[in-house]
Amino acid sequence: MLIDTYGRVATDLRVSLTDRCNLRCTYCMPEEGLQWLAKPDLLTDDEIVRLIGIAVTRLGIEEVRFTGGEPLLRPGLPGIVERVAALAPRPQMSLTTNGIGLRRTAAALKAAGLDRVNVSLDTLRPDVFKTLTRRDRHKDVVEGLEAAREAGLTPVKINSVLMPGLNADEAPDLLAWSMEHDYELRFIEQMPLDAQHGWKRDGMVTAGDILASLRTRFHLTEESAEERGSAPAERWIVDGGPHRVGVIASVTRPFCAACDRTRLTADGQVRTCLFAAEETDLRGALRSGAPDEEIAGIWRTAMWGKKAGAGLDDPSFVQPDRPMSAIGG
């Protein structure tokens, strides 16, 4: 079990498979990209599967989410999914992706055992997409979403970040389009995880802003706290159902008290929180020949020291040195 001093139990593991990405989203990294991790620093496929196996069989992990960077850039991804699906007990498996490579990989990932996907799509306008991501790939993402739905990677969820002056007016259109195509839309407040440290609290589109915009066109009924559980998204039933829309308000409505997540970076570090300033090394123990129970003990100790909250409301908060692309979303 991965329990902390506040009584929270981690059952959800986020695994970053690579720090690389084929987009250059303005809220994540600079146009020229980043200095990527050297290949020897990255966990191998066997190391990833071993660590996930320890988490599932010894530490109580029930759900595994593969992230990046862009996880579809990991050549061995289908094999990793297939091997994790063979674990007993079998964890639920999902993938967070920008969707560019989904058209050609969705069916294979479903066959390997992947359960569902979250796809990032911030706009319905190709020109705005190109401005936000610095790449002209909007059509590829839309086609990737369609391929995921057809392959049965459902529910297909869309993650959208709204930015002032770019796509802040698109919330109602994104929701209408998502409902039309049977996708579940979730808006995410822009978080201070950009490599260039350009985030400003007073410049972000808040959960309140998003809900006010949606209510100009839709009637929203909030789900109960029991239905939400430990999920990061607050959800609303749209126009009486069956469709729902979610808002992940990491900055203005933090949900740290119910957090059930632990994170593994692409180079084998445990992070107790996206905004954590510290990491705990598992790669070193792996490569020095440590047995599974010793690695599990290191992981337990790391999670025992998890802080009460992310500290975004603290005036002394300092952005993590590693951007979102390096630690997983």
Side-chain angles (χ1 to χ4, degrees):
M1 180 181 293
L2 291 172
I3 189 170
D4 64 33
T5 54
Y6 299 92
R8 297 169 297 192
V9 178
T11 58
D12 184 335
L13 170 61
R14 307 296 171 97
V15 181
S16 174
L17 297 178
T18 178
D19 59 329
R20 296 173 184 266
C21 189
N22 42 13
L23 297 181
R24 296 292 182 269
C25 296
T26 56
Y27 51 77
C28 185
M29 69 173 74
E31 185 171 4
E32 64 274 14
L34 300 169
Q35 183 173 347
W36 309 121
L37 291 168
K39 188 172 182 179
D41 294 335
L42 293 170
L43 294 176
T44 66
D45 291 1
D46 287 344
E47 289 171 336
I48 289 170
V49 173
R50 184 181 171 196
L51 287 176
I52 294 174
I54 291 170
V56 169
T57 62
R58 295 173 181 264
L59 297 173
I61 290 299
E62 300 171 357
E63 180 175 349
V64 176
R65 171 83 61 86
F66 297 109
T67 71
E70 173 45 51
L72 294 182
L73 295 179
R74 179 93 187 195
L77 176 58
I80 292 172
V81 171
E82 185 173 23
R83 292 167 68 184
V84 173
L87 293 173
R90 181 198 186 281
Q92 287 290 304
M93 287 184 291
S94 57
L95 176 82
T96 295
T97 172
N98 62 29
I100 288 176
L102 264 182
R103 183 177 60 179
R104 57 179 175 78
T105 58
L109 289 172
K110 178 65 177 179
L114 191 70
D115 295 301
R116 63 172 190 81
V117 294
N118 287 31
V119 180
S120 298
L121 180 64
D122 302 323
T123 177
L124 299 177
R125 305 191 295 247
D127 58 325
V128 175
F129 182 93
K130 186 174 181 179
T131 299
L132 276 167
T133 67
R134 305 184 179 102
R135 298 291 187 271
D136 189 11
R137 306 296 298 272
H138 187 269
K139 181 173 180 287
D140 296 310
V141 179
V142 172
E143 291 178 349
L145 281 161
E146 293 171 353
R149 184 185 60 215
E150 291 169 2
L153 293 170
T154 54
V156 176
K157 296 183 179 180
I158 293 178
N159 294 338
S160 295
V161 176
L162 300 182
M163 303 284 288
L166 287 172
N167 62 338
D169 61 333
E170 284 198 68
D173 290 339
L174 280 163
L175 179 53
W177 184 82
S178 297
M179 292 193 300
E180 178 186 350
H181 293 86
D182 202 24
Y183 305 137
E184 184 175 326
L185 177 63
R186 306 190 311 172
F187 293 99
I188 303 176
E189 286 182 339
Q190 184 195 1
M191 294 180 285
L193 289 168
D194 57 308
Q196 58 271 41
H197 288 198
W199 178 85
K200 294 288 187 296
R201 180 185 294 270
D202 58 3
M204 61 178 286
V205 179
T206 68
D209 298 331
I210 294 165
L211 292 170
S213 179
L214 291 175
R215 286 185 172 118
T216 64
R217 196 183 305 180
F218 303 98
H219 177 74
L220 305 180
T221 305
E222 189 171 5
E223 282 189 338
S224 66
E226 290 75 20
E227 288 177 295
R228 180 184 182 185
S230 61
E234 297 176 80
R235 296 203 309 173
W236 282 261
I237 301 166
V238 183
D239 291 342
H243 297 288
R244 285 163 168 76
V245 63
V247 179
I248 299 178
S250 303
V251 177
T252 62
R253 303 180 188 178
F255 41 87
C256 302
C259 180
D260 65 350
R261 282 164 286 288
T262 184
R263 299 175 182 275
L264 183 66
T265 67
D267 56 348
Q269 310 300 306
V270 169
R271 293 183 69 91
T272 59
C273 173
L274 266 177
F275 305 102
E278 307 86 18
E279 297 177 335
T280 300
D281 181 32
L282 295 185
R283 186 188 64 199
L286 269 179
R287 295 182 179 177
S288 67
D292 286 0
E293 188 49 46
E294 180 180 334
I295 293 169
I298 296 170
W299 207 328
R300 289 190 193 99
T301 300
M303 292 304 295
W304 181 252
K306 184 173 181 173
K307 294 181 179 179
L312 295 180
D313 55 350
D314 187 334
S316 64
F317 171 77
V318 177
Q319 286 189 225
D321 288 335
R322 294 228 247 177
M324 184 162 51
S325 62
I327 59 181

